Every structure is written in C-alpha cells, then in structure tokens.
Amino acid sequence: VEREYYRAFSTAYLCDRALEGRIIYHGRMGHLHFPGIDHVLSVRVVADHEQRVWRAIRQIRLDAAKARKYVEEVDEDRERWAQFIYGVGCDDPGHFDMVVNLHHMSVENAASALTSVAQLPDFQRTPASQKAMTDLRLAAKSRIALARHERTSRCKFKVLADAGVVTVAYLPQDAQYANFITEALAPV
C-alpha cells in the first residue's frame, strides 16, 4: 500500500508541475508516472562506466577499487528500486523513447539533439494529451485522499479518472470500506 501512496504522490506532484508549464525531470524512471501521456519524452542517458568511476573518484574522493564498487552498488540499488516501485528494470529500452549513449557524444551535443527532438510534433501537448494529464493528476490526487482518510487508508484501490469522473475499484475484502470512498474523496 505504501508503494501505491508513493506512486500517487509522485504522480500528482509531477502532473502539477507539468500542467504549470514545460518541465524537465531528471531522475530514474520518473516517466513511468505518466502512462498514456503522449507528449512526454522519456530518455535514458547512458554514461561510460569508466567515466562514472572517474567521477566517483573525483567527487567522493574514493580510490579506484572503491569507486568501481560504489558505481556497481549504485546500479544495483537503482535496479532494485525500479523493480520494487515500478516492477520493471532500469535498462529496458522499451520504456524509453530514446537512449542516448554519452560514450561517443558530448553532453552538449546530446542536449542539443534532445532539444531538437523535444520540439518535434510527436512531443507537443495536444488537447488529448492535456486531458490525459489532467485525468492522471485527478486520479493520483484521489488516491492520495483515499490514503489520508482514516477508514480507507489501508485499502488497495485502483483509481481512474476520465473527464472529471473518478472511478474507484477495490478488492472484495475491502467492500466494507466502499461507503467511505465518497467521504474520502470530498476534498478532491
């Protein structure tokens, strides 16, 4: 249930920022908070392993062996996090629109290329993608309201929104809490 709360809060927060204007979210797997939002460009940036080790040596002041171990542990932690929160692997290219490898490309050139791609019609907000984002935010905020309500906080709900109409589905063992759903969603 806590995983659902985390995802709902993160999705609501990111949707709020995205609906305020254009955003760039730099982090792992954040694009998975936007299922079905066509104008979101998701990019996986891959840095050369040796560059990452060298960065760890300089920034954290580790020797080479400890820096390698550190980079490996960070990668393992990120993989476990992605599996735990999203149920997917970090490195699956199918979850990204593009994969940029910095081994043979400078950061500046990668930024220039990504800026050009972000301006393509495929990644521009449309009325349909705006509606999808608004619906996603409403569903996430509704899930948060259910999490904050005393009677519904421990229930497993699936929450969807479509054009301002919120639908809450629940497992049979949580049917006794159905009467509290409307009360929990009143603030939303």
Side-chain angles (χ1 to χ4, degrees), residues 42-61:
S42 59
V43 180
R44 167 93 160 100
V45 179
V46 180
D48 180 69
H49 183 74
E50 289 306 311
Q51 289 175 335
R52 294 177 63 215
V53 170
W54 178 243
R55 194 174 307 124
I57 291 170
R58 282 189 330 221
Q59 293 177 347
I60 308 173
R61 303 191 195 288

Side-chain angles (χ1 to χ4, degrees), residues 1 64 87-88 105 107 127 160 164 172 174-175 177:
V1 173
V88 300
M105 180 184 299
V107 171
L160 300 172
D174 292 328
Y177 301 105

Side-chain angles (χ1 to χ4, degrees), residues 40-146:
V40 172
L41 171 62
S42 59
V43 180
R44 167 93 160 100
V45 179
V46 180
D48 180 69
H49 183 74
E50 289 306 311
Q51 289 175 335
R52 294 177 63 215
V53 170
W54 178 243
R55 194 174 307 124
I57 291 170
R58 282 189 330 221
Q59 293 177 347
I60 308 173
R61 303 191 195 288
L62 298 173
D63 65 49
K66 287 182 181 176
R68 282 188 207 301
K69 185 172 188 216
Y70 171 79
V71 168
E72 290 168 10
E73 288 173 354
V74 166
D75 288 346
E76 289 169 8
D77 287 347
R78 287 177 175 159
E79 185 65 29
R80 279 193 300 275
W81 175 255
Q83 283 295 333
F84 176 72
I85 296 295
Y86 307 105
V88 300
C90 285
D91 295 331
D92 182 353
H95 295 291
F96 302 95
D97 298 309
M98 294 181 66
V99 176
V100 176
N101 186 343
L102 295 178
H103 184 69
H104 297 289
M105 180 184 299
S106 70
V107 171
E108 294 78 15
N109 287 341
S112 178
L114 291 173
T115 300
S116 296
V117 171
Q119 294 172 6
L120 293 172
D122 297 338
F123 301 107
Q124 301 308 304
R125 196 177 301 208
T126 65
S129 69
Q130 177 77 18
K131 177 191 173 297
M133 180 76 72
T134 302
D135 287 342
L136 184 62
R137 177 180 64 175
L138 177 58
K141 288 187 180 254
S142 298
R143 184 64 186 99
I144 292 167
L146 290 164

